[in-house]
Amino acid sequence: MENLEQARQWLAGATSLAVLTGAGVSAESGIPTFRGADGLWKDFKPEELATPEAFARDPRLVWEWYNWRRELIRKAQPNPAHRALVKLEIKIAHFTLITQNVDGLHDLAGSGKILKLHGDIWRMRCTACGANWPDRRAPLPKLPPHCACGGLARPGVVWFGESLPEGMMKEAEHAAASAAVFLVIGTSAVVYPAAGLVPFAKHAGAKVIEINTEPSAVSGIVDCALHGPAGEILPQLL
Ligand code: OAD
């Protein structure tokens, strides 16, 4: 049976679905991915921009990069892949969307239940008092931004070497373990612990479907690989 038809059948019969998305789901909205030919990590070094040490060394430099990304993301709109996931959420009783993306496009599309493993670029956190708050201004009026208490603010994202938000990985694992179908979309699946959800779901008995323009680190273990842009393939699965 053709892969697309097989995936469609599994989804049509599923009462529980967990989805893991990565940067590729937002690529068709014009947001650069991290790896690959046009990826952000070609021109920028993660250890200089996306670690607590980098921020301690030069908060202004880190904020300039995040300010630039916020401006880029602010212009972007959800694409047909984000919108198809909203339709699946409405259709399938037990649905969990797990994302590594910080861009907020799943929210903007209308997804209701989202586990943002790597945080949210539109939130800030105070390094002094721990307050955290939303801020959608792009560009920011002053770099680096500060909290009302006077403390230095940092982006509300998870950096390399940091833990994921408290309890969120447990919730993601629970969703992966109880899903009949696990969809993995637009991720190179090389960053842990997020990538570990794919074998986790597979061992728990889910049918794993991958949508990606290229093979990823988990392509070898998925039950069904659909090659192509998520914005074209996902709507065909509904
Ligand atoms: P990557 O940039 O590593 O991978 C993006 C994936 O999307 C690749 O496998 C591409 O082949 C695929 N892709 C590109 N365009 C696509 C499209 N239109 N449709 C479907 N697939 C497409 O991004 P992530 O896997 O999300 O973490 O990266 C994971 C984490 O690494 C990020 O959350 C970020 C990054 O460093 C932190 O900053 C902590």
PDB file of all heavy atoms in Angstrom, residues 114-133:
ATOM      1  N   ILE A 114      -0.569  22.478  23.770  1.00  0.00           N
ATOM      2  CA  ILE A 114       0.803  22.477  23.245  1.00  0.00           C
ATOM      3  C   ILE A 114       1.802  22.326  24.390  1.00  0.00           C
ATOM      4  O   ILE A 114       1.730  23.069  25.373  1.00  0.00           O
ATOM      5  CB  ILE A 114       1.139  23.805  22.519  1.00  0.00           C
ATOM      6  CG1 ILE A 114       0.020  24.225  21.558  1.00  0.00           C
ATOM      7  CG2 ILE A 114       2.462  23.692  21.787  1.00  0.00           C
ATOM      8  CD1 ILE A 114       0.211  25.629  20.983  1.00  0.00           C
ATOM      9  N   LEU A 115       2.701  21.367  24.246  1.00  0.00           N
ATOM     10  CA  LEU A 115       3.817  21.277  25.185  1.00  0.00           C
ATOM     11  C   LEU A 115       5.024  21.884  24.486  1.00  0.00           C
ATOM     12  O   LEU A 115       5.541  21.317  23.515  1.00  0.00           O
ATOM     13  CB  LEU A 115       4.097  19.814  25.552  1.00  0.00           C
ATOM     14  CG  LEU A 115       2.975  19.055  26.244  1.00  0.00           C
ATOM     15  CD1 LEU A 115       3.382  17.591  26.465  1.00  0.00           C
ATOM     16  CD2 LEU A 115       2.628  19.705  27.576  1.00  0.00           C
ATOM     17  N   LYS A 116       5.455  23.044  24.968  1.00  0.00           N
ATOM     18  CA  LYS A 116       6.581  23.740  24.335  1.00  0.00           C
ATOM     19  C   LYS A 116       7.863  23.343  25.050  1.00  0.00           C
ATOM     20  O   LYS A 116       8.262  23.980  26.029  1.00  0.00           O
ATOM     21  CB  LYS A 116       6.363  25.252  24.409  1.00  0.00           C
ATOM     22  CG  LYS A 116       5.143  25.726  23.627  1.00  0.00           C
ATOM     23  CD  LYS A 116       4.999  27.231  23.741  1.00  0.00           C
ATOM     24  CE  LYS A 116       3.683  27.675  23.149  1.00  0.00           C
ATOM     25  NZ  LYS A 116       3.449  29.115  23.342  1.00  0.00           N
ATOM     26  N   LEU A 117       8.468  22.263  24.556  1.00  0.00           N
ATOM     27  CA  LEU A 117       9.631  21.700  25.249  1.00  0.00           C
ATOM     28  C   LEU A 117      10.777  22.697  25.379  1.00  0.00           C
ATOM     29  O   LEU A 117      11.513  22.668  26.350  1.00  0.00           O
ATOM     30  CB  LEU A 117      10.132  20.450  24.520  1.00  0.00           C
ATOM     31  CG  LEU A 117       9.223  19.227  24.500  1.00  0.00           C
ATOM     32  CD1 LEU A 117       9.928  18.074  23.793  1.00  0.00           C
ATOM     33  CD2 LEU A 117       8.805  18.801  25.900  1.00  0.00           C
ATOM     34  N   HIS A 118      10.950  23.547  24.375  1.00  0.00           N
ATOM     35  CA  HIS A 118      12.077  24.481  24.385  1.00  0.00           C
ATOM     36  C   HIS A 118      11.659  25.918  24.702  1.00  0.00           C
ATOM     37  O   HIS A 118      12.388  26.850  24.415  1.00  0.00           O
ATOM     38  CB  HIS A 118      12.847  24.407  23.054  1.00  0.00           C
ATOM     39  CG  HIS A 118      13.524  23.077  22.849  1.00  0.00           C
ATOM     40  ND1 HIS A 118      13.995  22.642  21.629  1.00  0.00           N
ATOM     41  CD2 HIS A 118      13.795  22.072  23.728  1.00  0.00           C
ATOM     42  CE1 HIS A 118      14.534  21.436  21.774  1.00  0.00           C
ATOM     43  NE2 HIS A 118      14.419  21.064  23.027  1.00  0.00           N
ATOM     44  N   GLY A 119      10.471  26.060  25.285  1.00  0.00           N
ATOM     45  CA  GLY A 119      10.025  27.381  25.723  1.00  0.00           C
ATOM     46  C   GLY A 119       9.390  28.198  24.617  1.00  0.00           C
ATOM     47  O   GLY A 119       8.873  27.644  23.634  1.00  0.00           O
ATOM     48  N   ASP A 120       9.425  29.514  24.784  1.00  0.00           N
ATOM     49  CA  ASP A 120       8.652  30.411  23.927  1.00  0.00           C
ATOM     50  C   ASP A 120       9.444  31.711  23.759  1.00  0.00           C
ATOM     51  O   ASP A 120       9.761  32.375  24.755  1.00  0.00           O
ATOM     52  CB  ASP A 120       7.314  30.681  24.652  1.00  0.00           C
ATOM     53  CG  ASP A 120       6.322  31.442  23.808  1.00  0.00           C
ATOM     54  OD1 ASP A 120       6.753  32.207  22.930  1.00  0.00           O
ATOM     55  OD2 ASP A 120       5.111  31.291  24.060  1.00  0.00           O
ATOM     56  N   ILE A 121       9.732  32.048  22.513  1.00  0.00           N
ATOM     57  CA  ILE A 121      10.542  33.247  22.256  1.00  0.00           C
ATOM     58  C   ILE A 121       9.783  34.524  22.628  1.00  0.00           C
ATOM     59  O   ILE A 121      10.374  35.588  22.788  1.00  0.00           O
ATOM     60  CB  ILE A 121      11.028  33.273  20.786  1.00  0.00           C
ATOM     61  CG1 ILE A 121      12.277  34.154  20.626  1.00  0.00           C
ATOM     62  CG2 ILE A 121       9.910  33.715  19.829  1.00  0.00           C
ATOM     63  CD1 ILE A 121      13.020  33.980  19.327  1.00  0.00           C
ATOM     64  N   TRP A 122       8.461  34.426  22.779  1.00  0.00           N
ATOM     65  CA  TRP A 122       7.640  35.599  23.114  1.00  0.00           C
ATOM     66  C   TRP A 122       7.445  35.770  24.618  1.00  0.00           C
ATOM     67  O   TRP A 122       6.611  36.549  25.068  1.00  0.00           O
ATOM     68  CB  TRP A 122       6.272  35.518  22.399  1.00  0.00           C
ATOM     69  CG  TRP A 122       6.457  35.472  20.916  1.00  0.00           C
ATOM     70  CD1 TRP A 122       6.155  34.433  20.088  1.00  0.00           C
ATOM     71  CD2 TRP A 122       7.010  36.489  20.067  1.00  0.00           C
ATOM     72  NE1 TRP A 122       6.489  34.729  18.796  1.00  0.00           N
ATOM     73  CE2 TRP A 122       7.009  35.998  18.751  1.00  0.00           C
ATOM     74  CE3 TRP A 122       7.512  37.781  20.296  1.00  0.00           C
ATOM     75  CZ2 TRP A 122       7.495  36.735  17.673  1.00  0.00           C
ATOM     76  CZ3 TRP A 122       7.999  38.513  19.232  1.00  0.00           C
ATOM     77  CH2 TRP A 122       7.975  37.991  17.934  1.00  0.00           C
ATOM     78  N   ARG A 123       8.193  34.983  25.404  1.00  0.00           N
ATOM     79  CA  ARG A 123       8.149  35.167  26.847  1.00  0.00           C
ATOM     80  C   ARG A 123       9.531  35.568  27.362  1.00  0.00           C
ATOM     81  O   ARG A 123      10.549  35.283  26.722  1.00  0.00           O
ATOM     82  CB  ARG A 123       7.675  33.888  27.559  1.00  0.00           C
ATOM     83  CG  ARG A 123       6.223  33.534  27.235  1.00  0.00           C
ATOM     84  CD  ARG A 123       5.674  32.501  28.203  1.00  0.00           C
ATOM     85  NE  ARG A 123       5.467  33.038  29.519  1.00  0.00           N
ATOM     86  CZ  ARG A 123       4.350  33.660  29.912  1.00  0.00           C
ATOM     87  NH1 ARG A 123       3.343  33.792  29.076  1.00  0.00           N
ATOM     88  NH2 ARG A 123       4.235  34.133  31.134  1.00  0.00           N
ATOM     89  N   MET A 124       9.546  36.227  28.496  1.00  0.00           N
ATOM     90  CA  MET A 124      10.808  36.636  29.122  1.00  0.00           C
ATOM     91  C   MET A 124      10.820  36.138  30.552  1.00  0.00           C
ATOM     92  O   MET A 124       9.763  35.922  31.142  1.00  0.00           O
ATOM     93  CB  MET A 124      10.904  38.147  29.146  1.00  0.00           C
ATOM     94  CG  MET A 124      10.811  38.753  27.789  1.00  0.00           C
ATOM     95  SD  MET A 124      11.627  40.308  27.844  1.00  0.00           S
ATOM     96  CE  MET A 124      11.528  40.740  26.126  1.00  0.00           C
ATOM     97  N   ARG A 125      12.042  36.029  31.063  1.00  0.00           N
ATOM     98  CA  ARG A 125      12.166  35.576  32.456  1.00  0.00           C
ATOM     99  C   ARG A 125      13.222  36.431  33.144  1.00  0.00           C
ATOM    100  O   ARG A 125      14.272  36.716  32.544  1.00  0.00           O
ATOM    101  CB  ARG A 125      12.575  34.105  32.453  1.00  0.00           C
ATOM    102  CG  ARG A 125      12.336  33.417  33.749  1.00  0.00           C
ATOM    103  CD  ARG A 125      12.232  31.910  33.589  1.00  0.00           C
ATOM    104  NE  ARG A 125      13.524  31.280  33.457  1.00  0.00           N
ATOM    105  CZ  ARG A 125      13.885  30.507  32.444  1.00  0.00           C
ATOM    106  NH1 ARG A 125      13.054  30.284  31.439  1.00  0.00           N
ATOM    107  NH2 ARG A 125      15.075  29.962  32.396  1.00  0.00           N
ATOM    108  N   CYS A 126      12.952  36.811  34.379  1.00  0.00           N
ATOM    109  CA  CYS A 126      13.910  37.641  35.114  1.00  0.00           C
ATOM    110  C   CYS A 126      14.991  36.757  35.734  1.00  0.00           C
ATOM    111  O   CYS A 126      14.680  35.773  36.409  1.00  0.00           O
ATOM    112  CB  CYS A 126      13.202  38.446  36.197  1.00  0.00           C
ATOM    113  SG  CYS A 126      14.355  39.469  37.131  1.00  0.00           S
ATOM    114  N   THR A 127      16.244  37.127  35.503  1.00  0.00           N
ATOM    115  CA  THR A 127      17.352  36.328  36.056  1.00  0.00           C
ATOM    116  C   THR A 127      17.532  36.615  37.550  1.00  0.00           C
ATOM    117  O   THR A 127      18.243  35.884  38.231  1.00  0.00           O
ATOM    118  CB  THR A 127      18.677  36.654  35.332  1.00  0.00           C
ATOM    119  OG1 THR A 127      18.913  38.067  35.421  1.00  0.00           O
ATOM    120  CG2 THR A 127      18.630  36.239  33.873  1.00  0.00           C
ATOM    121  N   ALA A 128      16.859  37.689  38.045  1.00  0.00           N
ATOM    122  CA  ALA A 128      17.004  38.030  39.467  1.00  0.00           C
ATOM    123  C   ALA A 128      15.844  37.488  40.301  1.00  0.00           C
ATOM    124  O   ALA A 128      16.049  36.726  41.243  1.00  0.00           O
ATOM    125  CB  ALA A 128      17.108  39.541  39.628  1.00  0.00           C
ATOM    126  N   CYS A 129      14.601  37.837  39.915  1.00  0.00           N
ATOM    127  CA  CYS A 129      13.469  37.461  40.788  1.00  0.00           C
ATOM    128  C   CYS A 129      12.680  36.268  40.245  1.00  0.00           C
ATOM    129  O   CYS A 129      11.785  35.763  40.910  1.00  0.00           O
ATOM    130  CB  CYS A 129      12.541  38.659  41.001  1.00  0.00           C
ATOM    131  SG  CYS A 129      11.511  39.062  39.570  1.00  0.00           S
ATOM    132  N   GLY A 130      12.980  35.822  39.025  1.00  0.00           N
ATOM    133  CA  GLY A 130      12.321  34.632  38.472  1.00  0.00           C
ATOM    134  C   GLY A 130      10.971  34.899  37.825  1.00  0.00           C
ATOM    135  O   GLY A 130      10.341  33.985  37.298  1.00  0.00           O
ATOM    136  N   ALA A 131      10.516  36.161  37.843  1.00  0.00           N
ATOM    137  CA  ALA A 131       9.227  36.483  37.198  1.00  0.00           C
ATOM    138  C   ALA A 131       9.295  36.093  35.730  1.00  0.00           C
ATOM    139  O   ALA A 131      10.375  36.125  35.120  1.00  0.00           O
ATOM    140  CB  ALA A 131       8.955  37.985  37.318  1.00  0.00           C
ATOM    141  N   ASN A 132       8.143  35.680  35.167  1.00  0.00           N
ATOM    142  CA  ASN A 132       8.145  35.487  33.710  1.00  0.00           C
ATOM    143  C   ASN A 132       6.880  36.022  33.106  1.00  0.00           C
ATOM    144  O   ASN A 132       5.811  35.955  33.692  1.00  0.00           O
ATOM    145  CB  ASN A 132       8.504  34.038  33.351  1.00  0.00           C
ATOM    146  CG  ASN A 132       7.338  33.107  33.355  1.00  0.00           C
ATOM    147  OD1 ASN A 132       6.516  33.135  32.449  1.00  0.00           O
ATOM    148  ND2 ASN A 132       7.259  32.299  34.396  1.00  0.00           N
ATOM    149  N   TRP A 133       7.010  36.629  31.941  1.00  0.00           N
ATOM    150  CA  TRP A 133       5.903  37.395  31.368  1.00  0.00           C
ATOM    151  C   TRP A 133       5.982  37.382  29.843  1.00  0.00           C
ATOM    152  O   TRP A 133       7.059  37.169  29.274  1.00  0.00           O
ATOM    153  CB  TRP A 133       5.943  38.836  31.899  1.00  0.00           C
ATOM    154  CG  TRP A 133       7.126  39.643  31.457  1.00  0.00           C
ATOM    155  CD1 TRP A 133       7.196  40.482  30.390  1.00  0.00           C
ATOM    156  CD2 TRP A 133       8.427  39.688  32.063  1.00  0.00           C
ATOM    157  NE1 TRP A 133       8.449  41.038  30.296  1.00  0.00           N
ATOM    158  CE2 TRP A 133       9.215  40.569  31.311  1.00  0.00           C
ATOM    159  CE3 TRP A 133       9.005  39.041  33.179  1.00  0.00           C
ATOM    160  CZ2 TRP A 133      10.559  40.836  31.619  1.00  0.00           C
ATOM    161  CZ3 TRP A 133      10.344  39.313  33.478  1.00  0.00           C
ATOM    162  CH2 TRP A 133      11.094  40.207  32.710  1.00  0.00           C
TER     163      TRP A 133
END
